[in-house]
Amino acid sequence: MSLTSMLYGIFSYDTSTPRVGFKHKDHVLDLEVVGLLGYFDPLHIDPAVFAKSVLNDFIALGRPTHQAIKKRLADLLDDGASALADVHDQVFIHESRVQMHLPVRIGDYTDFYAGIHHAENVGRMFRPTGDPLLPNYKHLPVAYHGRASSIVVSGTPVRRPSGQFLDGDQITFGPTKALDFELELGLIIGKSSGLGEPISVDTAEAYIFGITLFNDWSARDIQRWEYQPLGPFLGKNFASSLSAWVLPFDDLEPFRTVGMPQEPAPLPYLQSSQPGHFDLDLSVWLQPTDGDEVCIAHSNARYLYWSFAQMIAHHTIGGCNLAIGDVLATGTISGPAPGSYGSLLEISWNGERPIYLSHSLSRTFLADGDTVTLRGRGFRHGYLADLGDVTGTIQS
């Protein structure tokens, strides 16, 4: 029997207010009620922390408390113990009855460009005669500061954005004709740092509470026209979808693996003493309005060039502070071959190579009514990690 990872989120049901829940099979465990019934009394945890509408206060309890809660929940949910059997209907709510909410109050959001295969593919498309990677790529984790206010929870519809773009050689304003998804992971920051205090690469993972799936929706035509010289703006700020469930970082340990060689060697502040990548299978599924869901990409988190720890170390090296609930996204995670690309920009090669969802239905970019779902899981050494889904449907 595999050992299954833990997932925390914010849920509500019927007329209840949003509160902290724990995913258990096809039910959500109401941790506030579990606490009020006294099951967390041995840990001396105030049940009020589970009555909050975001995970931030729960995250602030710190890793030792999270580990104690994990052990307590594992004991309570042991199939042989049935410790919660007498209060099952009080504490378990079937997933069909719940509404999920954004899991954290996000103060800041940074999006990295840590997927080297994605970066190389984009370079080959738009700089066909030059080096696919820009000169700085292998020296530092490239990133931009994104828009936190338009991050939405999985299941929230995504409205097709409008903006300026080139149509042939004419500047046009209107709805994007090149709406895309990006397969990413999001890091949820679990500990605040001080302004002016860099975080070392070897302590950086202690600042991660957990990870989620993350879809950074992108309007490629708007992005292409506007991004020079200062980078993404309207092509990226209209919506990003975050999974409703957060996987605690400790649960990634069984999936730790060595990343690809980094040549040239990064500067000392980016050199880590331990492997910092994770073997997590990722997939993208697309369902048109009148059609079946089709898997259009398989990738893996180990394809990232820069590790989570290196992203945090570089983010803070100049003194930038992090806060509980901040989101750091990895950038698009593509594999080395067709079939493993994490965006339609790559899959359709900028619209030149349509993909077929059926014998008569094709896509280059997303159409209104399309639903995109990202999925992630790992299975290694008898451990199962399921990141849940992140999904969104395109509206006009």
Side-chain angles (χ1 to χ4, degrees):
M1 180 178 178
S2 64
L3 301 175
T4 305
S5 57
M6 304 258 179
L7 291 171
Y8 296 100
I10 298 295
F11 78 105
S12 62
Y13 67 102
D14 298 337
T15 59
S16 70
T17 56
R19 77 279 302 279
V20 179
F22 173 82
K23 185 170 175 58
H24 181 63
K25 300 178 181 177
D26 57 356
H27 285 75
V28 177
L29 181 63
D30 188 331
L31 295 188
E32 181 191 10
V33 177
V34 171
L36 291 172
L37 291 173
Y39 289 96
F40 289 133
D41 285 356
L43 305 183
H44 306 290
I45 295 173
D46 185 350
V49 76
F50 301 115
K52 305 294 185 178
S53 61
V54 289
L55 288 173
N56 295 56
D57 286 2
F58 171 73
I59 293 172
L61 294 175
R63 187 162 288 178
T65 301
H66 299 153
Q67 292 171 336
I69 291 171
K70 175 181 177 177
K71 183 179 185 306
R72 181 62 174 153
L73 287 172
D75 292 341
L76 292 173
L77 295 171
D78 183 272
D79 290 336
S82 301
L84 298 174
D86 292 340
V87 294
H88 183 279
D89 292 344
Q90 291 178 259
V91 298
F92 286 103
I93 301 92
H94 193 270
E95 61 185 7
S96 63
R97 295 178 55 199
V98 307
Q99 177 182 351
M100 299 305 299
H101 303 269
L102 200 66
V104 290
R105 182 176 57 253
I106 304 168
D108 279 300
Y109 154 53
T110 300
D111 193 26
F112 283 86
Y113 197 43
I116 190 170
H117 301 301
H118 173 71
E120 288 175 333
N121 286 335
V122 171
R124 291 187 183 105
M125 279 181 236
F126 300 117
R127 297 184 301 276
T129 61
D131 190 326
L133 294 177
L134 293 172
N136 64 351
Y137 189 87
K138 290 188 174 182
H139 294 275
L140 56 86
V142 175
Y144 73 94
H145 188 79
R147 184 73 181 176
S149 65
S150 54
I151 297 178
V152 296
V153 70
S154 174
T156 304
V158 175
R159 186 176 298 276
R160 181 178 297 272
S162 292
Q164 288 189 24
F165 53 89
L166 287 177
D167 191 354
D169 58 0
Q170 297 295 312
I171 301 172
T172 302
F173 176 85
T176 176
K177 297 179 181 179
L179 187 55
D180 200 359
F181 61 82
E182 290 191 344
L183 172 62
E184 306 193 20
L185 292 174
L187 312 181
I188 306 298
I189 295 301
K191 187 167 68 168
S192 297
S193 64
L195 184 66
E197 299 175 2
I199 298 170
S200 74
V201 70
D202 285 329
T203 62
E205 289 183 354
Y207 287 80
I208 305 172
F209 168 70
I211 68 166
T212 68
L213 287 166
F214 190 85
N215 185 344
D216 184 28
W217 304 95
S218 301
R220 299 300 187 185
D221 43 8
I222 297 171
Q223 179 185 0
R224 191 174 306 126
W225 172 239
E226 73 178 1
Y227 84 100
Q228 301 183 66
L230 293 182
F233 187 36
L234 301 188
K236 291 279 193 177
N237 71 2
F238 58 95
S240 297
S241 295
L242 184 73
S243 173
W245 296 105
V246 183
L247 176 72
F249 188 74
D250 283 347
D251 285 9
L252 286 182
E253 195 58 43
F255 309 97
R256 188 180 292 276
T257 190
V258 177
M260 66 184 67
Q262 293 185 335
E263 295 291 343
L267 293 177
Y269 78 93
L270 291 172
Q271 294 178 12
S272 178
S273 61
Q274 68 169 339
H277 288 71
F278 298 90
D279 183 10
L280 299 171
D281 290 323
L282 308 171
S283 60
V284 182
W285 298 74
L286 197 158
Q287 182 169 15
T289 304
D290 299 316
D292 296 328
E293 187 180 57
V294 177
C295 182
I296 60 172
H298 282 286
S299 189
N300 192 290
R302 69 176 183 271
Y303 294 138
L304 290 168
Y305 187 79
W306 297 102
S307 70
F308 301 158
Q310 288 173 318
M311 294 178 213
I312 291 172
H314 184 67
H315 197 306
T316 62
I317 192 63
C320 176
N321 56 317
L322 300 180
I324 290 173
D326 284 355
V327 174
L328 275 56
T330 59
T332 306
I333 306 175
S334 293
S340 64
Y341 297 161
S343 68
L344 278 173
L345 177 68
E346 298 164 88
I347 295 171
S348 74
W349 209 253
N350 195 27
E352 295 177 6
R353 307 168 187 169
I355 61 166
Y356 284 86
L357 307 179
S358 67
H359 70 280
S360 60
L361 189 62
S362 66
R363 290 285 185 273
T364 52
F365 291 100
L366 296 172
D368 292 346
D370 285 350
T371 298
V372 177
T373 301
L374 311 183
R375 297 189 170 105
R377 63 183 292 154
F379 187 77
R380 201 176 190 210
H381 306 315
Y383 287 86
L384 173 66
D386 190 339
L387 276 68
D389 297 352
V390 61
T391 186
T393 300
I394 306 305
Q395 295 183 341
S396 59

Short mmCIF file of all heavy atoms in Angstrom, two decimals, residues 239-264:
data_model
loop_
_atom_site.label_atom_id
_atom_site.label_comp_id
_atom_site.label_asym_id
_atom_site.label_seq_id
_atom_site.Cartn_x
_atom_site.Cartn_y
_atom_site.Cartn_z
N ALA A 239 -5.08 36.88 -15.91
CA ALA A 239 -5.45 35.74 -15.06
C ALA A 239 -4.31 34.75 -14.97
O ALA A 239 -3.61 34.49 -15.96
CB ALA A 239 -6.69 35.02 -15.59
N SER A 240 -4.12 34.19 -13.79
CA SER A 240 -3.29 33.01 -13.57
C SER A 240 -4.08 32.11 -12.62
O SER A 240 -4.67 32.60 -11.66
CB SER A 240 -1.94 33.37 -12.95
OG SER A 240 -1.18 34.20 -13.79
N SER A 241 -4.12 30.81 -12.91
CA SER A 241 -4.92 29.88 -12.12
C SER A 241 -4.04 29.07 -11.17
O SER A 241 -3.06 28.47 -11.58
CB SER A 241 -5.70 28.93 -13.04
OG SER A 241 -6.64 29.62 -13.81
N LEU A 242 -4.44 29.06 -9.90
CA LEU A 242 -3.72 28.36 -8.84
C LEU A 242 -4.58 27.20 -8.35
O LEU A 242 -5.79 27.34 -8.18
CB LEU A 242 -3.44 29.32 -7.69
CG LEU A 242 -2.60 28.81 -6.51
CD1 LEU A 242 -1.14 28.69 -6.91
CD2 LEU A 242 -2.72 29.79 -5.33
N SER A 243 -3.96 26.06 -8.13
CA SER A 243 -4.69 24.92 -7.59
C SER A 243 -5.33 25.27 -6.25
O SER A 243 -4.81 26.08 -5.48
CB SER A 243 -3.74 23.74 -7.40
OG SER A 243 -4.40 22.67 -6.74
N ALA A 244 -6.47 24.64 -5.97
CA ALA A 244 -7.14 24.83 -4.69
C ALA A 244 -6.42 24.11 -3.55
O ALA A 244 -6.64 24.42 -2.38
CB ALA A 244 -8.57 24.33 -4.77
N TRP A 245 -5.55 23.16 -3.90
CA TRP A 245 -4.89 22.33 -2.89
C TRP A 245 -3.39 22.57 -2.88
O TRP A 245 -2.78 22.70 -3.92
CB TRP A 245 -5.18 20.85 -3.15
CG TRP A 245 -6.64 20.52 -3.02
CD1 TRP A 245 -7.51 20.27 -4.03
CD2 TRP A 245 -7.38 20.41 -1.80
NE1 TRP A 245 -8.76 20.01 -3.52
CE2 TRP A 245 -8.71 20.09 -2.16
CE3 TRP A 245 -7.06 20.56 -0.45
CZ2 TRP A 245 -9.72 19.91 -1.22
CZ3 TRP A 245 -8.06 20.38 0.49
CH2 TRP A 245 -9.38 20.06 0.10
N VAL A 246 -2.83 22.61 -1.67
CA VAL A 246 -1.40 22.83 -1.48
C VAL A 246 -0.77 21.57 -0.89
O VAL A 246 -1.24 21.06 0.13
CB VAL A 246 -1.14 24.03 -0.56
CG1 VAL A 246 0.37 24.28 -0.43
CG2 VAL A 246 -1.84 25.29 -1.07
N LEU A 247 0.27 21.09 -1.54
CA LEU A 247 1.02 19.93 -1.06
C LEU A 247 2.17 20.42 -0.18
O LEU A 247 3.03 21.17 -0.66
CB LEU A 247 1.57 19.14 -2.24
CG LEU A 247 2.47 17.95 -1.92
CD1 LEU A 247 1.65 16.80 -1.34
CD2 LEU A 247 3.23 17.49 -3.15
N PRO A 248 2.22 20.06 1.10
CA PRO A 248 3.33 20.51 1.95
C PRO A 248 4.68 20.08 1.38
O PRO A 248 4.84 18.98 0.86
CB PRO A 248 3.05 19.81 3.29
CG PRO A 248 1.58 19.57 3.29
CD PRO A 248 1.23 19.27 1.85
N PHE A 249 5.65 20.96 1.52
CA PHE A 249 6.95 20.72 0.90
C PHE A 249 7.62 19.45 1.44
O PHE A 249 8.31 18.74 0.70
CB PHE A 249 7.86 21.93 1.11
CG PHE A 249 9.15 21.84 0.36
CD1 PHE A 249 9.19 22.03 -1.00
CD2 PHE A 249 10.33 21.52 1.01
CE1 PHE A 249 10.37 21.93 -1.72
CE2 PHE A 249 11.53 21.43 0.31
CZ PHE A 249 11.54 21.63 -1.06
N ASP A 250 7.40 19.15 2.73
CA ASP A 250 8.01 17.94 3.30
C ASP A 250 7.60 16.69 2.54
O ASP A 250 8.37 15.71 2.47
CB ASP A 250 7.60 17.79 4.77
CG ASP A 250 8.36 18.73 5.69
OD1 ASP A 250 9.36 19.31 5.24
OD2 ASP A 250 7.96 18.87 6.86
N ASP A 251 6.40 16.70 1.96
CA ASP A 251 5.92 15.51 1.25
C ASP A 251 6.61 15.29 -0.10
O ASP A 251 6.39 14.27 -0.76
CB ASP A 251 4.41 15.61 1.03
CG ASP A 251 3.62 15.33 2.31
OD1 ASP A 251 4.26 15.23 3.38
OD2 ASP A 251 2.39 15.22 2.26
N LEU A 252 7.44 16.24 -0.50
CA LEU A 252 8.20 16.08 -1.74
C LEU A 252 9.50 15.29 -1.54
O LEU A 252 10.12 14.87 -2.52
CB LEU A 252 8.57 17.46 -2.32
CG LEU A 252 7.47 18.26 -2.99
CD1 LEU A 252 8.05 19.56 -3.55
CD2 LEU A 252 6.82 17.47 -4.12
N GLU A 253 9.89 15.08 -0.31
CA GLU A 253 11.21 14.49 -0.04
C GLU A 253 11.42 13.15 -0.77
O GLU A 253 12.50 12.91 -1.32
CB GLU A 253 11.43 14.33 1.45
CG GLU A 253 12.87 14.07 1.84
CD GLU A 253 13.82 15.17 1.36
OE1 GLU A 253 13.47 16.36 1.48
OE2 GLU A 253 14.91 14.82 0.84
N PRO A 254 10.43 12.24 -0.82
CA PRO A 254 10.67 10.98 -1.52
C PRO A 254 10.92 11.14 -3.01
O PRO A 254 11.40 10.20 -3.67
CB PRO A 254 9.36 10.20 -1.28
CG PRO A 254 8.75 10.82 -0.07
CD PRO A 254 9.12 12.26 -0.14
N PHE A 255 10.62 12.32 -3.56
CA PHE A 255 10.72 12.54 -5.00
C PHE A 255 11.94 13.39 -5.38
O PHE A 255 12.11 13.76 -6.53
CB PHE A 255 9.43 13.19 -5.51
CG PHE A 255 8.21 12.46 -5.07
CD1 PHE A 255 7.49 12.88 -3.96
CD2 PHE A 255 7.81 11.30 -5.72
CE1 PHE A 255 6.37 12.18 -3.53
CE2 PHE A 255 6.69 10.59 -5.30
CZ PHE A 255 5.98 11.03 -4.19
N ARG A 256 12.77 13.66 -4.39
CA ARG A 256 13.96 14.48 -4.64
C ARG A 256 14.90 13.75 -5.61
O ARG A 256 15.13 12.54 -5.50
CB ARG A 256 14.69 14.77 -3.33
CG ARG A 256 15.83 15.79 -3.47
CD ARG A 256 16.51 16.04 -2.14
NE ARG A 256 15.65 16.73 -1.18
CZ ARG A 256 15.48 18.05 -1.14
NH1 ARG A 256 16.13 18.83 -2.00
NH2 ARG A 256 14.69 18.59 -0.24
N THR A 257 15.46 14.52 -6.55
CA THR A 257 16.34 13.92 -7.55
C THR A 257 17.35 14.96 -8.01
O THR A 257 17.24 16.15 -7.69
CB THR A 257 15.52 13.39 -8.74
OG1 THR A 257 16.36 12.63 -9.59
CG2 THR A 257 14.90 14.52 -9.54
N VAL A 258 18.33 14.50 -8.76
CA VAL A 258 19.35 15.38 -9.31
C VAL A 258 18.82 16.04 -10.57
O VAL A 258 18.21 15.38 -11.42
CB VAL A 258 20.64 14.60 -9.61
CG1 VAL A 258 21.68 15.50 -10.26
CG2 VAL A 258 21.19 13.97 -8.33
N GLY A 259 19.03 17.33 -10.72
CA GLY A 259 18.65 18.02 -11.93
C GLY A 259 19.70 17.86 -13.01
O GLY A 259 20.72 17.18 -12.84
N MET A 260 19.45 18.49 -14.14
CA MET A 260 20.42 18.42 -15.23
C MET A 260 21.70 19.18 -14.87
O MET A 260 21.68 20.08 -14.02
CB MET A 260 19.81 18.99 -16.52
CG MET A 260 19.51 20.47 -16.48
SD MET A 260 18.67 21.01 -18.00
CE MET A 260 17.10 20.18 -17.86
N PRO A 261 22.83 18.81 -15.45
CA PRO A 261 24.08 19.52 -15.15
C PRO A 261 23.96 21.01 -15.48
O PRO A 261 23.34 21.38 -16.49
CB PRO A 261 25.10 18.84 -16.06
CG PRO A 261 24.52 17.51 -16.39
CD PRO A 261 23.03 17.71 -16.42
N GLN A 262 24.53 21.84 -14.63
CA GLN A 262 24.52 23.29 -14.86
C GLN A 262 25.92 23.71 -15.30
O GLN A 262 26.86 23.74 -14.52
CB GLN A 262 24.08 24.03 -13.60
CG GLN A 262 22.63 23.76 -13.24
CD GLN A 262 22.14 24.59 -12.06
OE1 GLN A 262 22.92 25.03 -11.22
NE2 GLN A 262 20.84 24.79 -11.99
N GLU A 263 26.02 24.00 -16.59
CA GLU A 263 27.28 24.43 -17.18
C GLU A 263 27.05 25.72 -17.96
O GLU A 263 26.15 25.75 -18.81
CB GLU A 263 27.83 23.36 -18.13
CG GLU A 263 28.20 22.06 -17.45
CD GLU A 263 29.44 22.20 -16.56
OE1 GLU A 263 30.16 23.21 -16.74
OE2 GLU A 263 29.66 21.34 -15.72
N PRO A 264 27.83 26.76 -17.64
CA PRO A 264 28.90 26.82 -16.64
C PRO A 264 28.36 26.76 -15.22
O PRO A 264 27.16 26.98 -15.00
CB PRO A 264 29.54 28.19 -16.92
CG PRO A 264 28.42 29.01 -17.45
CD PRO A 264 27.60 28.07 -18.29
#
